[in-house]
Amino acid sequence: MFVKFLAKYVKFIVAFTILGIVGVLAYLMTSARFDTLEQRLSQLRDVRRETLFGDNFERRTQMEEQNEWIFPSGGRWVVSTLGSRVLEQADRNAPNSAALVGEKDWSSYVVQVELRIEHSGDAGVFAYWNSAQENYRLRTSDFHRKLQIAKRVPIGQGGHGNIYLNEKTLHLKDSRWYVFQLEVTSHDTYTYLRGKVWPKGETEPGTWLLEASDHSPERYQSGQAGVWTIKSGASYRGAKFDNFRVFKNTSIF
């Protein structure tokens, strides 16, 4: 009698255990599907983008003909040929060179460009440019061995300083094309920034390399977009830019 009872008890325990395992697996599968769905929905929020500006530099041979662009830092910006027409700063000794487009009231957008750094220099993209002393940048640093989201701030009489909101070690290969993308979004109490970089010709990463929030009262909430480069060593041969785009964020949700 006791043996029969024990056998039934063991069967009950085994059945209950199996049901428990099945339940846990079902939960994990449902949770995984839910996480995947959330990820897909998150990606969809960034799909719908309205083009504010685009330039591949193929329709003209001189920057003087491109009245959409302004060059507040001087130097000599030109259109040169490297397989296709590209924008570059031809003055190898020009410090902190900027080329800009757009309006001061541009807000919540994505700026993207293909860029190529040739020897001991750094480069990147601007967002929310209000002046040489007030802007955000996704930029390389330390001879393009580091990626940073930087905030330029005014100091004293006409001076400036950099606040590095986030940075990551990232060794970019010399004289290779990369895609730089910086997203800026204005909110009631802060400005949110996300940046990514990937080799041209490869699939765009689904995740962002850097994210940062600026909660300061002096945060920037709108401004022009553009590209930037600087000489970092005697062997600097410039940075080249191609397929520049600015997209307005128009999320589905």
Side-chain angles (χ1 to χ4, degrees):
M1 192 75 174
F2 176 74
V3 173
K4 289 183 179 180
F5 171 78
L6 184 60
K8 287 183 179 180
Y9 180 75
V10 170
K11 288 181 180 178
F12 173 77
I13 294 297
V14 171
F16 183 79
T17 302
I18 292 173
L19 285 174
I21 293 172
V22 170
V24 170
L25 289 175
Y27 170 78
L28 291 175
M29 290 175 67
T30 302
S31 178
R33 289 194 190 102
F34 179 75
D35 290 342
T36 302
L37 178 60
E38 279 295 295
Q39 185 179 14
R40 294 293 297 275
L41 288 174
S42 177
Q43 293 170 352
L44 282 173
R45 293 187 183 102
D46 293 331
V47 167
R48 284 183 61 182
R49 290 174 175 171
E50 170 195 353
T51 300
L52 289 176
F53 181 86
D55 201 339
N56 61 8
F57 310 106
E58 292 296 331
R59 56 193 175 93
R60 43 174 82 77
T61 58
Q62 298 180 25
M63 287 309 296
E64 287 76 13
E65 299 173 17
Q66 301 196 70
N67 55 19
E68 303 98 330
W69 289 89
I70 61 171
F71 311 102
S73 56
R76 188 166 65 89
W77 287 91
V78 301
V79 172
S80 59
T81 301
L82 186 69
S84 63
R85 287 177 180 164
V86 298
L87 172 67
E88 72 168 312
Q89 172 58 269
D91 184 351
R92 301 294 186 249
N93 294 312
N96 244 334
S97 300
L100 301 170
V101 297
E103 306 294 334
K104 291 287 184 71
D105 63 355
W106 275 7
S107 182
S108 295
Y109 59 76
V110 177
V111 55
Q112 176 176 304
V113 75
E114 297 168 5
L115 71 81
R116 167 182 166 133
I117 303 170
E118 298 186 346
H119 301 287
S120 63
D122 287 298
V125 291
F126 285 115
Y128 287 11
W129 166 289
N130 292 280
S131 71
Q133 292 78 34
E134 298 178 326
N135 55 75
Y136 295 115
R137 281 176 289 171
L138 177 68
R139 52 159 290 178
T140 65
S141 181
D142 191 24
F143 298 89
H144 49 274
R145 289 181 293 210
K146 205 179 280 184
L147 183 68
Q148 299 171 329
I149 292 179
K151 178 184 180 182
R152 178 66 64 86
V153 295
I155 297 177
Q157 298 295 319
H160 65 266
N162 289 316
I163 298 174
Y164 300 106
L165 301 176
N166 200 353
E167 67 178 24
K168 181 183 182 69
T169 300
L170 184 71
H171 294 272
L172 300 187
K173 293 182 179 179
D174 186 70
S175 301
R176 178 170 181 176
W177 285 100
Y178 290 88
V179 182
F180 275 54
Q181 188 180 101
L182 175 62
E183 179 189 75
V184 284
T185 311
S186 295
H187 299 272
D188 290 341
T189 60
Y190 66 97
T191 297
Y192 182 58
L193 304 100
R194 303 194 293 186
K196 65 174 73 171
V197 173
W198 68 95
K200 179 180 177 180
E202 295 187 8
T203 302
E204 176 182 342
T207 57
W208 298 86
L209 281 175
L210 292 178
E211 299 184 51
S213 296
D214 184 2
H215 291 263
S216 69
E218 296 80 20
R219 67 187 178 279
Y220 312 131
Q221 301 183 64
S222 64
Q224 294 169 286
V227 298
W228 166 87
T229 182
I230 190 172
K231 173 183 177 180
S232 299
S235 63
Y236 177 57
R237 293 216 311 259
K240 295 178 172 59
F241 303 89
D242 200 5
N243 294 316
F244 180 84
R245 299 286 185 271
V246 182
F247 303 100
K248 179 71 174 176
N249 274 343
T250 54
S251 299
I252 295 175
F253 301 103

